[in-house]
């Protein structure tokens, strides 16, 4: 198979985890005889420094000419005091809007060998397997006005939470479609006791639920949801929520797996050009040290192969290789609890070695060759 992938490493550890992931894709391409062409683009802080724009036109063009996109992360202290339109994060938000990447799927599934790495009790996290379906192109991060103003003669500030009804409907439809293929339970998370947008969200959730009689709908207020994620995370199957709530809850949920560096995500578009990105950011505190955990990005790439290219065996091979490496006790620093750890590059090499050693893959390749 010949396919092109746009690579937007971005800033900080974004560069390191994308580089580690490219090595995995090259290895899987060689093993399964696929030709993946990589098209690099600038986004975020680097793009501001080199082009004066966090999302240059060339980057949008590179994405649109590709079959799928992998993004690392954007941001860093260097640009923290820039005016808002020259913040690296603006580049990512603009790309999500430009490509209508409205559905961000963030699976939270524990690995057997990492049960002790979670700060939560092992018996609570064992068997956790749910997905956060986060709306990604609306809500507070996109509403206008978003500015400093003067109100009643006082300095004030306004951010706007705006959703069109169809935006709420389509993300809930995505959540119900996903739930139908899973354990058929949607927890719709909102703040309907306070926010009008959440009241409409609830109404739409009820309407959509009526079209999926085999799926159970439960409403949960976001503050309770934040607590339930810690108290009994196994209760969740699909969590459907708006942009900011999903952003916050997913970082919280990452600790069920042991590290933010483990959480992959897929940002799906209405147009079919999807973007795959880790849940974490550019981690300036560890950037440039070759110690970041690349697994979130590597698992995002596995989802890309499955979702965008239909390469199920290849996706499974990567997921199994990651599991085998973790089972062998190898850990990056975030999971090593002060013990022996391996670098970002070494983790990538270990996963490549595990791919090469996997007898199932060798059998598949022999069957197809
Ligand atoms: N998708 C994106 O591009 C995102 C960008 N950001 C940006 O990233 C910058 C840093 O934000 P933070 O709040 O520090 O969030 P962050 O997600 O970058 O880091 C939070 C903490 O988790 C650790 N961490 C994150 N990913 C890791 C990995 N793969 N391996 C090991 N440890 C990892 C970091 O070292 C840090 O201690 C900011 O500029 C922020 O706006 C934040 C979140 C998402
Ligand atoms: C630019 C931010 C909204 C990125 C982020 O925190 C996320 O998507 O999880
Ligand atoms: Mg986030």
């Amino acid at each position: 198979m010949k396919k092109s992938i746009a690579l937007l490493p971005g800033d900080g550890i974004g560069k390191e985890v994308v580089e580690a992931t490219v090595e995995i894709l090259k290895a899987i391409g060689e093993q399964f005889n696929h030709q993946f062409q990589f098209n690099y683009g600038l986004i975020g802080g680097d793009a501001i420094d080199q082009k004066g724009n966090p999302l240059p036109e060339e980057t949008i063009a590179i994405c649109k000419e590709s079959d799928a996109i992998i993004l690392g992360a954007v941001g860093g202290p260097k640009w923290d005091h820039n005016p808002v339109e020259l913040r690296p994060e603006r580049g990512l938000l603009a790309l999500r809007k430009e490509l209508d990447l409205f559905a961000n799927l963030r699976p939270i599934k524990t690995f057997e060998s990492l049960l002790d790495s979670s700060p939560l009790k092992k018996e609570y996290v064992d068997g956790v397997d749910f997905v956060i379906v986060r709306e990604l192109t609306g809500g507070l991060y996109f509403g206008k006005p978003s500015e400093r103003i003067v109100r009643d003669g006082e300095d004030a500030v306004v951010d706007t939470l705006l959703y069109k009804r169809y935006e709420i409907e389509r993300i809930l439809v995505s959540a119900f479609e996903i739930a139908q293929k899973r354990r058929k339970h949607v927890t719709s998370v909102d703040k309907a006791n306070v926010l009008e947008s959440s009241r409409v969200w609830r109404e739409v959730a009820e309407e959509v639920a009526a079209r999926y009689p085999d799926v159970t709908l439960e409403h949960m207020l976001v503050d309770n949801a934040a607590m339930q994620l810690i108290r009994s995370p196994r209760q969740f199957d699909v969590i459907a929520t708006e942009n900011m709530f999903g952003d916050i809850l997913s970082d919280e949920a990452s600790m069920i797996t042991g590290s933010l560096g483990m959480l992959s995500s897929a940002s799906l578009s209405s147009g079919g050009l999807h973007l795959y990105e880790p849940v974490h950011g550019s981690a300036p505190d560890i950037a440039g040290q070759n110690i970041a955990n690349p697994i979130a990005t590597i698992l995002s790439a596995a989802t890309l192969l499955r979702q965008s290219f239909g390469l199920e065996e290849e996706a499974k091979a990567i997921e199994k290789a990651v599991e085998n490496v973790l089972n062998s006790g190898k850990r990056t620093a975030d999971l090593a609890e002060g013990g022996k750890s391996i670098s970002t590059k070494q983790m990538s090499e270990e996963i490549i070695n595990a791919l090469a050693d996997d007898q199932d893959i060798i059998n598949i390749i022999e069957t197809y060759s």
Side-chain angles (χ1 to χ4, degrees):
M1 177 184 279
K2 268 192 180 173
K3 289 282 183 192
S4 62
I5 302 175
L7 296 174
L8 313 181
D11 308 312
I13 64 164
K15 293 188 202 313
E16 299 162 54
V17 296
V18 168
E19 196 184 311
T21 302
V22 169
E23 295 307 317
I24 307 287
L25 287 169
K26 282 183 186 162
I28 209 91
E30 260 171 44
Q31 261 180 316
F32 285 83
N33 205 16
H34 300 306
Q35 283 172 281
F36 299 133
Q37 188 194 313
F38 301 113
N39 307 321
Y40 281 85
L42 288 171
I43 192 166
D46 265 5
I48 294 170
D49 290 350
Q50 293 182 43
K51 304 281 175 185
N53 179 351
L55 181 65
E57 282 300 324
E58 302 96 279
T59 301
I60 299 175
I62 287 166
C63 292
K64 288 186 175 169
E65 283 156 16
S66 303
D67 299 305
I69 307 159
I70 292 177
L71 176 117
V74 294
K78 182 176 179 193
W79 307 280
D80 275 353
H81 301 291
N82 281 12
V84 74
E85 64 283 3
L86 284 180
R87 290 282 308 244
E89 294 81 359
R90 282 283 136 193
L92 177 53
L93 294 175
L95 185 63
R96 289 174 178 169
K97 201 69 170 176
E98 172 72 28
L99 300 179
D100 201 24
L101 298 160
F102 72 96
N104 185 221
L105 315 186
R106 298 182 154 186
I108 289 93
K109 193 169 180 195
T110 44
F111 283 84
E112 189 67 34
S113 56
L114 292 184
L115 292 181
D116 285 323
S117 302
S118 174
L120 304 185
K121 281 189 189 146
K122 189 173 175 172
E123 58 267 33
Y124 293 165
V125 297
D126 191 7
V128 166
D129 177 5
F130 65 90
V131 55
I132 296 179
V133 179
R134 166 189 174 195
E135 202 291 323
L136 203 60
T137 49
L140 267 179
Y141 298 172
F142 292 93
K144 297 272 187 285
S146 171
E147 61 195 8
R148 291 158 200 242
I149 56 167
V150 174
R151 173 75 51 95
D152 304 327
E154 300 284 347
D155 283 346
V157 60
V158 57
D159 281 310
T160 301
L161 201 178
L162 184 130
Y163 268 113
K164 293 183 179 152
R165 205 176 173 95
Y166 86 89
E167 293 176 311
I168 299 176
E169 184 180 350
R170 67 179 178 172
I171 191 68
L172 284 161
V173 167
S174 302
F176 276 85
E177 291 285 329
I178 291 166
Q180 256 187 342
K181 299 189 193 96
R182 295 175 48 96
R183 301 194 304 279
K184 299 185 171 43
H185 186 93
V186 171
T187 309
S188 172
V189 171
D190 62 38
K191 189 73 184 172
N193 51 344
V194 178
L195 298 175
E196 199 55 29
S197 55
S198 283
R199 290 160 69 90
V200 173
W201 180 281
R202 249 181 214 217
E203 272 169 40
V204 177
E206 293 288 341
E207 283 167 25
V208 172
R211 292 181 233 155
Y212 295 85
D214 55 332
V215 178
T216 318
L217 168 66
E218 179 187 6
H219 299 288
M220 194 177 282
L221 297 173
V222 63
D223 38 0
N224 182 25
M227 184 274 286
Q228 294 292 343
L229 278 173
I230 305 292
R231 193 183 77 99
S232 68
R234 261 200 308 266
Q235 71 183 281
F236 296 109
D237 178 21
V238 175
I239 292 179
T241 194
E242 63 90 55
N243 199 343
M244 189 173 75
F245 295 161
D247 189 3
I248 296 169
L249 291 181
S250 50
D251 272 34
E252 182 193 349
S254 74
M255 290 318 292
I256 295 167
T257 68
S259 170
L260 184 51
M262 292 300 295
L263 276 207
S264 68
S265 93
S267 301
L268 305 184
S269 77
S270 53
L273 173 57
H274 307 314
L275 182 148
Y276 300 84
E277 50 184 327
V279 165
H280 63 74
S282 60
D285 54 340
I286 57 164
Q289 298 177 39
N290 189 26
I291 58 171
N293 186 347
I295 291 178
T297 315
I298 291 168
L299 292 177
S300 302
T303 309
L304 178 158
L305 296 180
R306 172 181 291 118
Q307 179 82 33
S308 285
F309 299 169
L311 298 176
E312 180 62 31
E313 294 299 341
E314 291 80 344
K316 272 198 198 132
I318 295 174
E319 287 159 356
K320 193 167 165 213
V322 167
E323 191 159 7
N324 286 344
V325 171
L326 292 172
N327 287 346
S328 75
K330 309 256 171 28
R331 307 271 183 272
T332 42
D334 53 317
L335 290 166
E337 292 168 65
K340 198 167 177 297
S341 60
I342 61 173
S343 70
T344 309
K345 282 203 175 81
Q346 284 168 334
M347 179 53 87
S348 177
E349 284 159 13
E350 289 292 341
I351 295 169
I352 291 167
N353 291 340
L355 280 169
D357 288 348
D358 190 326
Q359 194 53 47
D360 289 345
I361 303 178
I362 294 163
N363 292 343
I364 293 165
I365 293 165
E366 278 171 2
T367 314
Y368 285 102
S369 56

